[in-house]
Amino acid sequence: MDELTAGATAGDAPPELAMAGAYPDFANPELLAAIPLDARTVIDIGCSGGALGAAYLRLNPAARVLGIDTDEAALAIARTRLTEVARCDIQAEDLPFDLSGGVDVLVYGDVLEHLADPWAVLARHVRHLNPGGAVVVCFPNVEHWSIAYRLFAGRFDYDERGLLDRTHLRFFTPRTMRALLERAGLTPCDVRSRPSDAAAAARFVEAMRPGLAAIGVDPAEYLGRATPVQFVWRASLAPRERLVVASTMLPPQGGVSDVRVIEPAAALASDPTVFSVVRQEAEIAPMIEGAPHIAVLHRPLLVGDSGRARLRALIDRGFLVVTEFDDHPDFLAARGIDVAELISFTGVHAIQTSTEPLAATLAAWNPEVAVFPNAIRALDPPANFANPDRLTLFFGALNREEDWAPFMPVLNEVLRAVGPRLHLLVMHDRAFFDALETPNKEFVPISDYATYRSRLAGCEISFMPLADTPFNRAKSDLKYIEAGAARVVPLASPVVYGDSLRDGETGLIFTSPDHLRMQLLRLLAYPEAARRLADSARAEVAANRMLAYQVRARTDWYRALWARRAELDAALRARVPALFA
């Protein structure tokens, strides 16, 4: 293979992956991200070993994910992963499931190109879609530069897999796939490209530049069509009006940005009718003509003239402005902010936060407050309880000495008593780590959220003390759901966590140092019982605290705000007249 053809099959699953039947056991990440996150019933047409559906169920455990394939070896694997699977020739048979409740999403991951009549099959399947239901299609790009290269070289040889899989019967461009979707009665919403070797494509297009110019094809435009190895189209049946949500984000610290901005933005984007992005505030601009535009500002510090100027700029660009805030506002005053000049809450149309106590506090500034509790994006496979003779206690926090200091003598007492049976992993808080009187400890500096979640997942107990203060009472139970999602036993104070954790069922509550001693020794003495607590906590999160379960509530709230925009503008003008001067 010469330098031009290098990368011709980029975008395929890595060859070292295990196989499920004839194809790699692989969940296409771009296809996964395109599936609406709040679906109740999803059918994966051509599910192979069910890797995609299994990945989706980790995001939306409440979904019913059905799989169809003709490869019995692959289906044997899929049966262990999906809600239900069936062997079916979709060219000759209808969908072989009880679909009395309809279908929310039909997924065709590299399937339609294998059919003799994909137009008829799709039209037949679409009849099962619920109103607003979606179709997600991933397909190989026949305009990929490597296919043109082969044709120029006088070859059109089929391969075992890839763009010219020997079982492909149909070939599509984004335009012809759009036509297929429209013919089935669907409204195309968006198309995304799957990554490929851009350098190889650029070399080919550069070599072809004179010829392209001679036939009137713009090389830059052709490069855009010839680079993607695959495309993912999304289409909907009777879609809702398009909605734009542009979010800002503070520099990441301790996962706050991930949980409150990055992950919700990605969840919203899974709705084919929502264009959701994270941008710098100065870069937020109108994106889809005629669509509602919502700007969500993450913990903005809006003070005086400069704050009013920032808000006026967004309002003048046609945005309805929401403040995302998940901490007690008193912390601003404690940091020297002139609260009399603060308009982070009064100067916006609405506020979104994480707890009811915070909502009650913020409502004194602005009555338009919505609560979206912190939630878990994905349930990763458990990675703990491998050694019953040694448990690891996790503590991860910043500046929380007032919360943990009263319990340190008891922790050290237990550590002396049990020795290497209890290990400690401390993230971020060096003072806590230094106060521990044991060699069985590890310190990890402040890190990104993925590292935080990964290290937590390797532990068995999560220590979560909170002193009873007005500031703490307004905090969320994020650490509880993070621990539960990772199958780690929450060992927590009653402050905040007592409203979420069921003591003795989904974790343990401690109310004093002596009580902490008893609960911790209980976990060490009965590791199997500890694991049952952790399993119950994970089941609780899976049933009630997944981000997937909030997508529709969030989009409905944004749309409702937009529908009341005139009313909200008037209220904003009354609260902060200078904003409109």
Side-chain angles (χ1 to χ4, degrees), residues 195-252:
S196 184
D197 188 340
R203 290 194 298 270
F204 176 77
V205 172
E206 185 60 32
M208 297 299 299
R209 181 177 291 274
L212 291 169
I215 61 173
V217 174
D218 175 49
E221 186 271 338
Y222 176 69
L223 181 63
R225 291 188 282 117
T227 299
V229 69
Q230 290 169 306
F231 285 97
V232 177
W233 257 116
R234 297 196 297 179
S236 186
L237 194 64
R240 296 198 290 175
E241 178 185 31
R242 296 303 300 270
L243 170 68
V244 175
V245 182
S247 303
T248 66
M249 183 179 73
L250 292 181

Side-chain angles (χ1 to χ4, degrees), residues 175-443:
R175 182 185 63 79
T176 58
M177 180 57 72
R178 179 187 183 112
L180 188 158
L181 296 169
E182 290 176 334
R183 182 170 165 179
L186 297 160
T187 300
C189 297
D190 59 21
V191 62
R192 312 171 181 195
S193 61
R194 287 205 69 216
S196 184
D197 188 340
R203 290 194 298 270
F204 176 77
V205 172
E206 185 60 32
M208 297 299 299
R209 181 177 291 274
L212 291 169
I215 61 173
V217 174
D218 175 49
E221 186 271 338
Y222 176 69
L223 181 63
R225 291 188 282 117
T227 299
V229 69
Q230 290 169 306
F231 285 97
V232 177
W233 257 116
R234 297 196 297 179
S236 186
L237 194 64
R240 296 198 290 175
E241 178 185 31
R242 296 303 300 270
L243 170 68
V244 175
V245 182
S247 303
T248 66
M249 183 179 73
L250 292 181
Q253 183 176 11
V256 172
S257 298
D258 295 78
V259 172
R260 297 303 298 177
V261 180
I262 297 173
E263 293 177 352
L268 293 174
S270 76
D271 183 330
T273 66
V274 178
F275 186 75
S276 174
V277 295
V278 178
R279 297 269 171 87
Q280 294 292 325
E281 187 178 317
E283 298 173 355
I284 293 178
M287 299 169 206
I288 300 176
E289 185 177 356
H293 280 65
I294 311 294
V296 181
L297 307 184
H298 181 218
R299 299 167 70 99
L301 182 57
L302 302 168
V303 180
D305 291 339
S306 64
R308 285 189 287 273
R310 289 167 59 186
L311 290 171
R312 272 198 300 268
L314 289 169
I315 293 169
D316 288 346
R317 291 177 209 149
F319 281 83
L320 187 148
V321 185
V322 174
T323 282
E324 156 58 44
F325 209 81
D326 68 334
D327 225 333
H328 200 289
D330 285 355
F331 97 98
L332 295 171
R335 285 157 176 76
I337 305 301
D338 184 356
V339 177
E341 285 290 300
L342 183 69
I343 56 172
S344 298
F345 310 122
T346 56
V348 297
H349 293 94
I351 304 169
Q352 62 185 50
T353 191
S354 57
T355 71
E356 293 293 346
L358 267 177
T361 298
L362 295 169
W365 303 67
N366 186 330
E368 298 292 337
V369 185
V371 176
F372 299 114
N374 287 329
I376 295 298
R377 178 184 175 273
L379 293 174
D380 296 324
N384 55 3
F385 286 100
N387 181 4
D389 296 324
R390 193 189 92 158
L391 301 183
T392 299
L393 183 146
F394 177 89
F395 180 77
L398 280 172
N399 306 317
R400 310 303 299 174
E401 188 164 354
E402 291 183 1
D403 298 321
W404 57 255
F407 301 100
M408 186 55 68
V410 162
L411 276 177
N412 282 324
E413 177 190 324
V414 172
L415 288 168
R416 286 191 296 271
V418 303
R421 287 176 57 204
L422 181 62
H423 189 83
L424 284 98
L425 175 61
V426 180
M427 294 193 74
H428 316 327
D429 195 324
R430 187 77 205 193
F432 182 90
F433 178 83
D434 290 341
L436 294 168
E437 298 171 359
T438 177
N440 304 305
K441 61 182 181 178
E442 178 186 358
F443 180 73

Side-chain angles (χ1 to χ4, degrees), residues 393 461-465 489-493 501 507-510 515-516 519-520 523:
L393 183 146
I461 306 167
S462 179
F463 179 51
M464 303 180 298
V489 180
L491 180 59
S493 70
L501 186 158
L508 294 178
I509 291 288
F510 58 86
H515 198 193
L516 171 64
Q519 299 287 49
L520 185 52
L523 293 171

Side-chain angles (χ1 to χ4, degrees), residues 10 35 87 101 388 462 479 556:
I35 302 173
R87 184 172 184 174
S462 179
K479 290 187 182 302
D556 284 351

